[in-house]
Amino acid sequence: MGLSLRDSRAEAEQRGWMDRTFLRSERIILSYRDADERLRRIAQVLTQDFGLVPGNRVLLRGGNAIELAVAWLAVVQAGLIAVCTMPLLRAKELSYPLAKGKIALALCDARLSDEMEKAKAQSPDLKRIVYWGNGAQIIPPHDHGIAAAIDRVGPALAIDRVATKDGGARFRSLAQAEIDR
């Protein structure tokens, strides 16, 4: 029988491993304690701020990175169903799992936003896309309750997609968005 996330955390705590490395990449190293804190905060935002309930599906879109791993773990911890997609999928290909799963929320690496936005236009069930990247954690952009979500998720930067004058898009931190107002 496999270990659940709770069992794994309890074992790490019991053995004194909470400060040992749990996830590692070239950019970031997360201890069991750091990962546990992020998972709890993200799961709380998914259920309380986004109103998702166990059994809801969440599309995850990103490369092989710690942010995607943490997003997947948080989705599972919240009792939700993670629907992972490859970063190479185009909008039309993304629209199939979005429609079949009636997915209302997607968590996506900001570098993949162009195809994700196109997929949203083709997917009436998809109500919200939350981007991460540039060191940001997953929190709800474009949300009136953003201050409460940031308090729960922590002080890390969240990013917001902004149209540029030439018709493209750029990303800015929500902290910068507050300065721009």
Side-chain angles (χ1 to χ4, degrees):
M1 183 190 300
L3 290 176
S4 71
L5 288 174
R6 282 191 194 115
D7 293 340
S8 178
R9 185 203 182 282
E11 181 179 358
E13 192 167 31
Q14 180 182 18
R15 293 181 181 228
W17 293 350
M18 292 304 284
D19 293 317
R20 286 189 177 183
T21 299
F22 177 67
L23 295 171
R24 175 193 311 256
S25 75
E26 293 175 3
R27 296 182 298 105
I28 188 170
I29 297 174
L30 289 181
S31 68
Y32 281 87
R33 186 178 321 282
D34 295 336
D36 182 60
E37 182 180 335
R38 288 184 187 199
L39 295 176
R40 284 187 297 105
R41 288 179 173 179
I42 294 167
Q44 186 173 356
V45 168
L46 291 172
T47 55
Q48 290 183 4
D49 292 348
F50 295 140
L52 298 177
V53 297
N56 286 154
R57 290 173 177 83
V58 177
L59 185 93
L60 300 175
R61 181 164 162 73
N64 190 11
I66 285 180
E67 292 86 357
L68 181 63
V70 169
W72 186 89
L73 289 167
V75 166
V76 170
Q77 183 167 318
L80 307 170
I81 299 169
V83 179
C84 291
T85 62
M86 297 184 310
L88 296 176
L89 294 182
R90 308 293 286 197
K92 183 176 181 181
E93 297 161 326
L94 287 168
S95 68
Y96 298 124
L98 288 168
K100 186 163 182 91
K102 299 193 181 311
I103 297 171
L105 175 71
L107 305 177
C108 181
D109 187 320
R111 294 171 293 185
L112 304 172
S113 65
D114 290 337
E115 290 299 320
M116 195 71 239
E117 292 291 330
K118 291 175 189 172
K120 183 179 181 183
Q122 301 172 24
S123 307
D125 292 319
L126 183 60
K127 305 294 184 228
R128 173 179 277 152
I129 303 169
V130 179
Y131 294 102
W132 76 78
N134 300 334
Q137 289 183 358
I138 301 168
I139 61 175
H142 314 303
D143 194 285
H144 298 293
I146 191 70
I150 289 173
D151 287 344
R152 275 192 288 287
V153 176
L157 295 175
I159 56 173
D160 186 14
R161 183 184 168 107
V162 179
T164 59
K165 292 177 184 176
D166 64 357
R170 69 177 178 84
F171 296 92
R172 65 179 176 185
S173 72
L174 289 176
Q176 184 62 45
E178 290 298 319
I179 293 169
D180 290 347
R181 285 185 191 187

